[in-house]
Amino acid sequence: MNEPINKIAVLTSGGDAPGMNAAIRAVVRACTYYRVDCIGVYRGYQGLIEGDFKELSARHVSNIINKGGTILKSARSQDFRTEEGREKAYKNLKKAGVGALVIIGGDGTFTGGLKFIQEYNFPIIGIPGTIDNDIYGTDRTIGYDTALNTVVEVIDKIRDTASSHNRLFFIEVMGRDAGFIALNTGIGAGAEEILIPEKDLGLDRLVDSLKTSKEKGKTSSIVVVSEGDKIGKNVFELGDHIKEIFPDYDIRVSVLGHMQRGGAPSCSDRVLASRLGVAAVEHLLDRSSGVMVGVTNNQVTTVGLNKAIKMNNDIDKELLKVAEITSV
Amino acid sequence: MNEPINKIAVLTSGGDAPGMNAAIRAVVRACTYYRVDCIGVYRGYQGLIEGDFKELSARHVSNIINKGGTILKSARSQDFRTEEGREKAYKNLKKAGVGALVIIGGDGTFTGGLKFIQEYNFPIIGIPGTIDNDIYGTDRTIGYDTALNTVVEVIDKIRDTASSHNRLFFIEVMGRDAGFIALNTGIGAGAEEILIPEKDLGLDRLVDSLKTSKEKGKTSSIVVVSEGDKIGKNVFELGDHIKEIFPDYDIRVSVLGHMQRGGAPSCSDRVLASRLGVAAVEHLLDRSSGVMVGVTNNQVTTVGLNKAIKMNNDIDKELLKVAEITSV
Amino acid sequence: MNEPINKIAVLTSGGDAPGMNAAIRAVVRACTYYRVDCIGVYRGYQGLIEGDFKELSARHVSNIINKGGTILKSARSQDFRTEEGREKAYKNLKKAGVGALVIIGGDGTFTGGLKFIQEYNFPIIGIPGTIDNDIYGTDRTIGYDTALNTVVEVIDKIRDTASSHNRLFFIEVMGRDAGFIALNTGIGAGAEEILIPEKDLGLDRLVDSLKTSKEKGKTSSIVVVSEGDKIGKNVFELGDHIKEIFPDYDIRVSVLGHMQRGGAPSCSDRVLASRLGVAAVEHLLDRSSGVMVGVTNNQVTTVGLNKAIKMNNDIDKELLKVAEITSV
Amino acid sequence: MNEPINKIAVLTSGGDAPGMNAAIRAVVRACTYYRVDCIGVYRGYQGLIEGDFKELSARHVSNIINKGGTILKSARSQDFRTEEGREKAYKNLKKAGVGALVIIGGDGTFTGGLKFIQEYNFPIIGIPGTIDNDIYGTDRTIGYDTALNTVVEVIDKIRDTASSHNRLFFIEVMGRDAGFIALNTGIGAGAEEILIPEKDLGLDRLVDSLKTSKEKGKTSSIVVVSEGDKIGKNVFELGDHIKEIFPDYDIRVSVLGHMQRGGAPSCSDRVLASRLGVAAVEHLLDRSSGVMVGVTNNQVTTVGLNKAIKMNNDIDKELLKVAEITSV
């Protein structure tokens, strides 16, 4: 591991997130700046196994900072879960003269990276790219801020029609295990109620809250529901259930779905991605490995990949209170 | 009917559409301009029956031209389908000194208006406000252009994630009886296939098309599906069906839903609404009634409300051809 | 001219406009559909002279329908104004086996094309691509609708701050010779006054109008000014002049500038560009030349390039009236 | 000062910023929640002097969280700089039974508030609302994040046309004393060079940088210039100067201006404003005064108004480095 690093590879894996391209661009340009070569690996770990590589120069990543998705594409790889697959990946990297790897993604991406480090002692730095903001060791993940804006813009539109018709809307947003998107967009869109997995409101309190809302003269209501919330089997069942209790309500259900992953990244996500892309290369060149770069208290920091995976970010109690107060 | 018209009422009814507020504003300001009073009726025909009126001056409609929804709110009214309901409405209008009525909405709105004219010979002009563009006698309805932009912006975002993951997306857009939104947004978003009620592609041809797509090396595909399309019971079932035929496809389904009705209106919708709002008042003051104002070949025109309801706009065969050619 | 056309070239020239890429895509895919080859010419007529060509397949134009600008780039060419330059261009086209040419642009583009047809009898079809909407023979030019939306979105933002501060804003929009953008965005943004080259309001009437506005209790005002308007030498001088007359007004001037040319095209522009791109290829294959394809009364039509250049679209008097009425 | 606080007033002052309405809404609703009355003061300190007050209930602030500007309007007040003016303000507050005041704005706002506390010992809490992010004691000011997004969206559009034409653009963004907007949007928009007041690049280095850019084959360039930058008298003069040095460059200048203050606030600004609005009320009810509430390291914190005014936020050196590296 003491040979100099002359070439760094970068890949994106797992669900895509706006800002991944900005991170790729920063990795490539940091390589140019520090005079090491850079190659892009297509389709995540699967491309590592198949040797799907392309040399990337500073010009290759012009005009991508504002594009959603990932130019390197992303994919799940069953093969990388096998020893055989990882061996192929290692051989491909060696053959291409790659001395270190930047992996951009979330939990699954880092788990794969850790395994690879353990087996091959290959230098790897992780960058948190996921809209869910569920990675420990960084205040924000790349794509999260953009997803929040996408969601509030859509809810603003639904609010137009909701208040024109005095309707009750249940809107499902992403976040299977974490309610960050639901809580923040719920506050940001002025939702009357927010349902998240971390805090089981329970059907009874939801019903009470909707009753109170009506008594206060609110003629339309928005309830933001996190994918992972546990009231009802899913948001449609929840809607049906509420309809039984309030038969005179005009209830609509909307599942926002995959649009939440796309779109031009916000300025904040572009800057975050640029910082972390540069930092990842600098840490690799400083012989660091096995860590994720993140931003904590506005400073670039690192955390062990094992911690990033295992620990959880807690929902901020202050935000729950703000949500309660501002929806009176 | 030969008394002078000193006061005009305006209401919005049926599904709301972006630009309705711009139309309300134009009606109010045309009243000011021509020195007649104007009152707004809340919640459509139901507000007419309940006497839910408010005097509107030019200042009341400041800063609403760019707002989605309708400040007068909209509602369905069962009561207006009864003779008793309509009688109450008539008495309320008389009591308030209202001499004529502008109704903004779609099919159902105009049907109600026609009935009222027949029974009470009350002067009424219709303005086509619906995102579906399914009204005869106007090239475009208010809200349609905005909805097209909303849909292509969302599909652009889904395309980001679709092409990052090599996925096949089925995206349902509004249009129960008419495929205008699906056809135009399908072309505009570069969809690989478009399913509309007016042209039954049939499952076999859809399957063929998807196969061809794959053979051509397209790694992601978007299929835009109109609500009213007849393949499969709904878009989810259609997705499941395709999954059975192509088990290795990564298929996702997204129903865009009510966001399509909201948002700030496009410039084109604001201008259209302003023209039609002014024209409606001018026609009423010219003693016209029973017609809808629309735009045909860039000129403001009128058509009988009965025709507007009963006749259909045909899907343009040229557009179907353009869709076929540009998706090769 | 009776040899079969086996290869069609396409170029963009003059000021770029959103939707040019959608038109390029449609030209390329129509070529694929009708089984003729297609090549792209970079940097307009200059690239024709320098032989800056690239073969374009249907895949080359994937994912560009939603991109602003032009992937073929645009440039002014002094050389194409010389006989020598045009001869080089002709020889390059012949050498490359190109049998016909699609030119996307405005006045200047078509003037160059006409000259080339006259000298070399080379088949050329024009597509109107310019945000100014100042081309005769089409109801709308590609990019115009998008520019209208860009402008009203920006004025909506300025309105936020104008009405928070009771300010008078002069906002200059594009349109050196034509007031279409100013008139439509002025109506769409609810401007208090609109200044366009086609209708000289005169300083006195502007001052009157601003006085009336104030008397009516309007606390903020937006005046949309077309580049080509003749009151004052430019918008800054106009602002200074008004400041002298109303020293207590808080006046601000904003020149929107080049942002008006960029951005993702609206759905309407994408569909228009797709229709015209397909139509241009079909007309060339039908041995047509020397015409521009456009959309008139919702139908694709053609007009001689000489007419497209020389004749003017008139400002619609009805729109001027609507502007007057809705700003009371 | 030991009487209970039964009524809280809120005002906005200075330049408006997106999210001010969200802050007002949070103040009003926190008052409702904690069962104290709330009144809004129009036009900042001037309204305080003129007694321009309105009682605000939770319903009054429905549907404003997504609106730019400030429903309470803002204004500069010369009168509040006089002892007489402040005395009138104090008497109005006393007469109305107001026990404490929330002031939303920037430097000037807080300076006025401090003076008022010193003279009348009146409880006041400040909330940082300004797009410039130039307030000490908070990581972000309300409106800053939205302004960043507005700017990068506009530069994205200009980039479309810049790269279609191989042009050099100088784009002036807000920030008279602080380069935060320029630095972050410069990184976010992928600018080739960024000029800020905190770091005098000097004309020579700018010229060098533009030369290098050209040698690297960059065919278009964006230079983001902070209002307060010191090269040239202003951005137009700077453009002229560069034109003299590079006569063959196609140079354009764009001043973004007031649009940067408007628009729907980002989700992040809405959440920040909601948190600070709630916190301001809670601190007043806890008998705190003379401080500004802010967010530091993701926690709500307070800082003395005197410190907030006098101290500066430093430009982060790491960001300067990231800008340099990612523009290679």
Side-chain angles (χ1 to χ4, degrees):
Chain A
M1 225 186 106
N2 277 335
E3 316 153 42
I5 293 172
N6 298 315
K7 192 180 281 184
I8 289 174
V10 55
L11 61 80
T12 51
S13 162
D16 63 312
M20 280 187 162
N21 281 328
I24 294 167
R25 173 180 178 269
V27 167
V28 172
R29 295 200 163 177
C31 286
T32 304
Y33 186 85
Y34 291 112
R35 295 169 195 276
V36 294
D37 291 335
C38 186
I39 66 164
V41 179
Y42 286 90
R43 293 174 298 120
Y45 291 123
Q46 194 60 31
L48 215 52
I49 292 169
E50 299 177 12
D52 196 357
F53 298 170
K54 182 185 171 182
E55 292 236 12
L56 295 175
S57 76
R59 289 293 77 72
H60 282 117
V61 292
S62 290
N63 294 327
I64 68 166
I65 196 170
N66 61 339
K67 303 287 185 289
T70 157
I71 59 164
L72 293 179
K73 294 176 181 278
S74 185
R76 293 202 189 133
S77 171
Q78 289 302 332
D79 295 344
F80 198 73
R81 297 179 176 225
T82 66
E83 273 185 39
E84 203 190 344
R86 292 191 296 274
E87 195 187 343
K88 277 190 198 165
Y90 180 70
K91 286 184 178 164
N92 283 330
L93 287 168
K94 278 290 155 188
K95 201 169 68 182
V98 175
L101 179 63
V102 177
I103 55 176
I104 306 171
D107 256 23
T109 309
F110 297 161
T111 305
L114 258 182
K115 191 84 186 163
F116 199 67
I117 295 172
Q118 286 156 5
E119 290 176 351
Y120 295 99
N121 196 22
F122 197 86
I124 293 182
I125 300 267
I127 295 179
T130 162
I131 64 167
D132 291 337
N133 204 33
D134 58 351
I135 304 288
Y136 181 83
T138 189
D139 289 346
R140 293 174 294 127
T141 55
I142 296 168
Y144 172 61
D145 183 64
T146 304
L148 296 184
N149 285 332
T150 299
V151 171
V152 295
E153 282 166 26
V154 170
I155 302 183
D156 284 353
K157 291 185 190 192
I158 294 176
R159 175 77 75 180
D160 285 340
T161 187
S163 55
S164 296
H165 284 279
N166 300 347
R167 277 177 177 154
L168 169 57
F169 267 89
F170 289 92
I171 300 175
E172 187 190 278
V173 301
M174 283 191 167
R176 218 172 293 263
D177 307 305
F180 296 105
I181 293 179
L183 180 54
N184 280 273
T185 61
I187 292 174
E192 275 67 28
E193 200 57 74
I194 301 166
L195 306 180
I196 55 174
E198 289 89 343
K199 187 203 168 200
D200 189 3
L201 188 70
L203 186 60
D204 289 351
R205 284 206 40 199
L206 174 62
V207 169
D208 282 351
S209 161
L210 293 173
K211 274 185 191 158
T212 312
S213 233
K214 208 179 185 183
E215 286 160 16
K216 279 182 209 156
K218 291 204 182 185
T219 53
S220 68
S221 289
I222 302 279
V223 179
V224 174
V225 185
S226 189
E227 264 181 318
D229 183 65
K230 286 141 196 131
I231 309 186
K233 218 175 56 189
N234 61 46
V235 72
F236 291 102
E237 219 181 50
L238 175 62
D240 290 345
H241 205 90
I242 296 295
K243 181 73 187 170
E244 280 171 32
I245 300 170
F246 301 100
D248 58 325
Y249 273 34
D250 192 4
I251 292 175
R252 292 290 187 281
V253 171
S254 198
V255 175
L256 299 197
H258 280 79
M259 75 184 73
Q260 295 168 82
R261 294 201 178 283
S266 69
C267 184
S268 169
D269 270 332
R270 297 182 196 191
V271 173
L272 175 65
S274 299
R275 293 171 77 184
L276 298 186
V278 167
V281 170
E282 290 176 342
H283 277 90
L284 283 174
L285 295 179
D286 287 347
R287 317 312 262 163
S288 182
S289 176
V291 298
M292 180 192 85
V293 288
V295 163
T296 316
N297 300 345
N298 305 314
Q299 302 299 317
V300 174
T301 50
T302 57
V303 62
L305 285 175
N306 52 339
K307 269 198 184 173
I309 294 165
K310 288 207 195 115
M311 295 177 69
N312 287 319
N313 292 320
D314 290 327
I315 283 284
D316 196 330
K317 292 228 165 58
E318 179 226 338
L319 275 190
L320 289 172
K321 192 75 191 284
V322 167
E324 186 190 346
I325 292 176
T326 56
S327 62
V328 293
Chain B
M1 224 186 107
N2 277 337
E3 317 153 43
I5 294 171
N6 297 317
K7 192 180 282 186
I8 289 174
V10 56
L11 61 80
T12 51
S13 163
D16 63 311
M20 279 186 163
N21 281 328
I24 294 166
R25 173 180 178 270
V27 168
V28 173
R29 295 201 163 176
C31 286
T32 304
Y33 186 87
Y34 291 112
R35 295 166 195 277
V36 295
D37 291 335
C38 186
I39 65 162
V41 179
Y42 285 89
R43 293 174 299 120
Y45 292 123
Q46 194 60 29
L48 215 52
I49 293 169
E50 299 176 14
D52 195 358
F53 298 170
K54 182 184 171 181
E55 293 236 11
L56 295 175
S57 76
R59 287 297 74 72
H60 282 117
V61 291
S62 290
N63 293 327
I64 68 165
I65 196 170
N66 60 339
K67 302 288 186 288
T70 158
I71 61 164
L72 293 178
K73 292 177 184 278
S74 184
R76 294 205 188 129
S77 171
Q78 290 301 332
D79 295 345
F80 198 72
R81 298 180 177 225
T82 67
E83 273 185 40
E84 203 190 343
R86 290 191 296 273
E87 195 187 342
K88 278 192 197 164
Y90 180 71
K91 286 184 176 163
N92 282 331
L93 286 169
K94 279 291 154 192
K95 201 170 68 183
V98 175
L101 180 63
V102 177
I103 54 176
I104 306 171
D107 255 22
T109 309
F110 297 161
T111 304
L114 258 181
K115 191 87 186 160
F116 199 67
I117 295 172
Q118 285 156 6
E119 289 177 353
Y120 294 99
N121 195 19
F122 197 86
I124 293 181
I125 299 267
I127 294 179
T130 161
I131 64 166
D132 291 338
N133 203 35
D134 57 352
I135 304 289
Y136 181 84
T138 189
D139 289 346
R140 292 175 296 126
T141 54
I142 296 168
Y144 172 61
D145 183 63
T146 305
L148 295 185
N149 285 332
T150 301
V151 171
V152 295
E153 281 166 25
V154 171
I155 303 184
D156 285 353
K157 291 184 190 193
I158 294 177
R159 175 77 75 180
D160 284 342
T161 187
S163 54
S164 295
H165 284 279
N166 300 346
R167 276 176 178 156
L168 169 57
F169 266 90
F170 289 92
I171 300 175
E172 188 190 278
V173 301
M174 283 192 166
R176 219 173 293 261
D177 307 306
F180 295 106
I181 294 179
L183 180 54
N184 280 273
T185 60
I187 293 174
E192 274 68 29
E193 199 58 74
I194 302 167
L195 306 180
I196 56 174
E198 290 89 343
K199 187 204 167 199
D200 189 1
L201 187 70
L203 186 60
D204 289 350
R205 279 205 45 199
L206 174 61
V207 169
D208 282 351
S209 160
L210 294 173
K211 273 184 191 159
T212 312
S213 235
K214 209 179 184 184
E215 286 160 14
K216 279 183 209 155
K218 290 203 182 187
T219 53
S220 68
S221 290
I222 302 279
V223 179
V224 173
V225 185
S226 190
E227 265 182 318
D229 182 66
K230 287 140 196 131
I231 309 186
K233 218 175 57 188
N234 61 45
V235 70
F236 292 103
E237 217 181 52
L238 176 60
D240 289 346
H241 205 89
I242 297 295
K243 182 73 186 171
E244 281 171 31
I245 300 170
F246 301 99
D248 58 326
Y249 273 34
D250 192 4
I251 293 175
R252 292 290 188 280
V253 170
S254 197
V255 175
L256 299 196
H258 280 79
M259 76 184 74
Q260 295 169 82
R261 294 202 178 282
S266 70
C267 184
S268 169
D269 270 332
R270 298 182 196 191
V271 173
L272 175 66
S274 299
R275 293 170 76 183
L276 298 186
V278 167
V281 171
E282 290 177 341
H283 276 91
L284 283 173
L285 295 180
D286 287 347
R287 315 312 263 164
S288 181
S289 175
V291 298
M292 179 193 85
V293 287
V295 163
T296 318
N297 300 343
N298 305 314
Q299 302 300 318
V300 173
T301 51
T302 57
V303 63
L305 284 175
N306 52 341
K307 267 198 187 173
I309 295 166
K310 286 204 196 119
M311 296 177 68
N312 287 318
N313 293 319
D314 291 326
I315 282 285
D316 197 329
K317 291 227 167 59
E318 179 226 338
L319 274 190
L320 290 173
K321 192 74 190 283
V322 167
E324 186 190 347
I325 292 175
T326 56
S327 63
V328 294
Chain C
M1 223 186 108
N2 277 337
E3 317 153 44
I5 293 172
N6 297 317
K7 192 180 281 184
I8 289 174
V10 56
L11 61 80
T12 51
S13 163
D16 63 311
M20 278 187 163
N21 281 327
I24 294 166
R25 174 180 177 268
V27 168
V28 173
R29 295 202 162 174
C31 285
T32 305
Y33 186 86
Y34 291 113
R35 294 167 196 275
V36 294
D37 290 334
C38 186
I39 66 164
V41 179
Y42 285 90
R43 293 174 300 120
Y45 292 124
Q46 194 60 30
L48 215 53
I49 292 169
E50 299 177 12
D52 197 357
F53 298 170
K54 183 185 170 182
E55 293 235 10
L56 294 175
S57 76
R59 288 295 75 73
H60 282 116
V61 292
S62 290
N63 293 327
I64 68 165
I65 196 169
N66 61 339
K67 301 288 184 291
T70 157
I71 59 163
L72 294 178
K73 293 175 182 278
S74 184
R76 292 201 190 135
S77 171
Q78 290 301 332
D79 295 344
F80 199 73
R81 299 181 176 222
T82 67
E83 272 185 40
E84 203 190 342
R86 291 192 296 274
E87 196 187 342
K88 278 191 199 166
Y90 179 70
K91 285 183 178 166
N92 284 330
L93 286 169
K94 278 291 155 189
K95 201 170 68 183
V98 175
L101 180 64
V102 177
I103 54 177
I104 306 172
D107 256 22
T109 309
F110 297 162
T111 305
L114 258 181
K115 191 85 186 163
F116 199 68
I117 294 173
Q118 286 155 6
E119 289 177 353
Y120 294 100
N121 194 23
F122 198 85
I124 294 181
I125 299 268
I127 295 179
T130 161
I131 64 166
D132 291 337
N133 204 34
D134 58 351
I135 304 289
Y136 181 84
T138 189
D139 289 345
R140 291 174 297 126
T141 55
I142 296 168
Y144 172 61
D145 183 64
T146 305
L148 295 184
N149 286 331
T150 300
V151 171
V152 295
E153 281 166 28
V154 171
I155 302 183
D156 284 352
K157 292 185 189 193
I158 294 176
R159 175 78 74 181
D160 284 341
T161 187
S163 55
S164 296
H165 284 279
N166 300 347
R167 277 178 176 153
L168 169 57
F169 266 90
F170 289 92
I171 300 175
E172 187 190 278
V173 301
M174 284 191 166
R176 218 173 293 262
D177 307 305
F180 296 106
I181 293 179
L183 180 54
N184 280 273
T185 61
I187 293 173
E192 276 66 29
E193 200 56 75
I194 301 167
L195 306 179
I196 55 174
E198 289 89 343
K199 187 204 167 200
D200 188 3
L201 187 70
L203 185 60
D204 289 351
R205 283 204 42 200
L206 174 62
V207 169
D208 283 351
S209 160
L210 293 174
K211 274 185 191 157
T212 312
S213 231
K214 209 179 184 184
E215 286 160 16
K216 278 182 209 155
K218 290 204 183 185
T219 53
S220 67
S221 290
I222 302 278
V223 179
V224 174
V225 185
S226 189
E227 265 182 317
D229 183 66
K230 286 141 196 130
I231 309 185
K233 217 174 58 189
N234 61 46
V235 71
F236 291 102
E237 218 181 51
L238 176 61
D240 289 345
H241 205 89
I242 296 294
K243 182 73 186 169
E244 281 171 31
I245 300 170
F246 301 100
D248 59 324
Y249 273 34
D250 192 4
I251 293 175
R252 292 290 186 282
V253 170
S254 198
V255 175
L256 298 197
H258 280 78
M259 76 185 72
Q260 296 168 79
R261 294 201 178 284
S266 70
C267 185
S268 169
D269 269 333
R270 297 182 196 191
V271 173
L272 175 65
S274 299
R275 292 172 75 183
L276 298 186
V278 167
V281 170
E282 290 177 341
H283 278 89
L284 283 174
L285 296 179
D286 288 347
R287 315 312 264 165
S288 182
S289 177
V291 298
M292 181 193 84
V293 287
V295 163
T296 317
N297 299 344
N298 305 313
Q299 301 300 317
V300 174
T301 50
T302 57
V303 62
L305 284 175
N306 52 338
K307 269 198 184 171
I309 294 166
K310 287 204 196 119
M311 296 177 67
N312 287 318
N313 292 319
D314 291 327
I315 283 284
D316 196 329
K317 292 227 167 59
E318 178 227 337
L319 274 190
L320 289 172
K321 192 74 191 282
V322 168
E324 186 190 346
I325 292 176
T326 55
S327 62
V328 294
Chain D
M1 224 186 106
N2 277 337
E3 316 152 44
I5 294 171
N6 297 317
K7 192 180 281 186
I8 290 174
V10 56
L11 61 80
T12 50
S13 163
D16 63 312
M20 279 187 163
N21 281 328
I24 294 166
R25 173 179 177 270
V27 168
V28 173
R29 295 200 163 177
C31 286
T32 305
Y33 185 87
Y34 290 112
R35 296 169 194 275
V36 294
D37 291 334
C38 187
I39 65 163
V41 179
Y42 285 90
R43 294 175 297 119
Y45 292 123
Q46 195 59 31
L48 214 53
I49 293 169
E50 300 178 11
D52 197 357
F53 298 170
K54 182 184 171 180
E55 292 237 12
L56 295 175
S57 76
R59 289 295 76 71
H60 282 117
V61 291
S62 290
N63 293 328
I64 67 164
I65 196 170
N66 61 339
K67 301 288 186 289
T70 157
I71 60 164
L72 294 177
K73 292 176 186 278
S74 184
R76 294 202 189 132
S77 171
Q78 290 300 331
D79 295 345
F80 199 72
R81 299 180 176 224
T82 67
E83 274 185 41
E84 202 190 345
R86 291 192 296 274
E87 196 187 340
K88 277 192 197 163
Y90 180 72
K91 285 184 176 163
N92 283 330
L93 286 169
K94 278 290 154 191
K95 201 171 66 182
V98 175
L101 180 63
V102 177
I103 55 176
I104 307 171
D107 256 22
T109 309
F110 298 161
T111 305
L114 257 182
K115 191 87 187 161
F116 200 68
I117 294 172
Q118 287 156 6
E119 290 176 353
Y120 295 100
N121 196 19
F122 198 86
I124 294 181
I125 300 267
I127 295 179
T130 161
I131 64 166
D132 291 338
N133 204 34
D134 57 351
I135 305 290
Y136 181 84
T138 188
D139 289 346
R140 292 176 295 126
T141 55
I142 296 168
Y144 171 60
D145 184 63
T146 304
L148 295 185
N149 286 332
T150 300
V151 171
V152 294
E153 281 166 26
V154 171
I155 303 184
D156 284 352
K157 292 185 189 191
I158 295 177
R159 173 78 74 181
D160 285 341
T161 186
S163 55
S164 296
H165 283 280
N166 300 347
R167 276 176 177 155
L168 169 57
F169 267 89
F170 288 91
I171 301 176
E172 187 190 278
V173 301
M174 284 191 166
R176 221 173 293 261
D177 307 306
F180 296 106
I181 294 179
L183 180 55
N184 280 273
T185 60
I187 293 174
E192 275 67 29
E193 200 57 75
I194 302 166
L195 306 180
I196 56 174
E198 289 89 344
K199 187 205 167 200
D200 189 1
L201 187 69
L203 185 60
D204 290 350
R205 279 204 46 198
L206 174 61
V207 169
D208 283 351
S209 160
L210 293 173
K211 274 185 190 159
T212 311
S213 234
K214 207 177 185 183
E215 287 159 15
K216 278 183 209 154
K218 289 204 183 185
T219 53
S220 67
S221 289
I222 302 279
V223 178
V224 173
V225 185
S226 190
E227 265 181 318
D229 183 66
K230 286 141 197 133
I231 308 186
K233 218 176 57 190
N234 61 45
V235 71
F236 292 103
E237 218 181 51
L238 175 61
D240 290 346
H241 205 89
I242 297 293
K243 182 73 186 171
E244 281 170 31
I245 300 170
F246 300 99
D248 58 325
Y249 273 35
D250 192 3
I251 293 175
R252 293 289 188 282
V253 170
S254 198
V255 175
L256 298 197
H258 280 79
M259 76 185 72
Q260 295 168 81
R261 293 202 179 283
S266 69
C267 184
S268 169
D269 270 332
R270 300 182 194 190
V271 172
L272 175 65
S274 299
R275 294 171 75 183
L276 298 185
V278 167
V281 170
E282 290 177 341
H283 277 91
L284 283 173
L285 295 179
D286 286 348
R287 314 313 262 163
S288 182
S289 176
V291 297
M292 180 192 85
V293 287
V295 163
T296 317
N297 299 344
N298 305 314
Q299 303 299 317
V300 174
T301 51
T302 57
V303 62
L305 284 174
N306 52 341
K307 268 199 187 172
I309 295 165
K310 286 202 196 122
M311 296 177 69
N312 287 318
N313 292 319
D314 291 327
I315 283 283
D316 197 328
K317 292 227 167 61
E318 178 227 336
L319 274 190
L320 290 173
K321 192 74 191 284
V322 167
E324 186 191 346
I325 292 176
T326 56
S327 62
V328 293

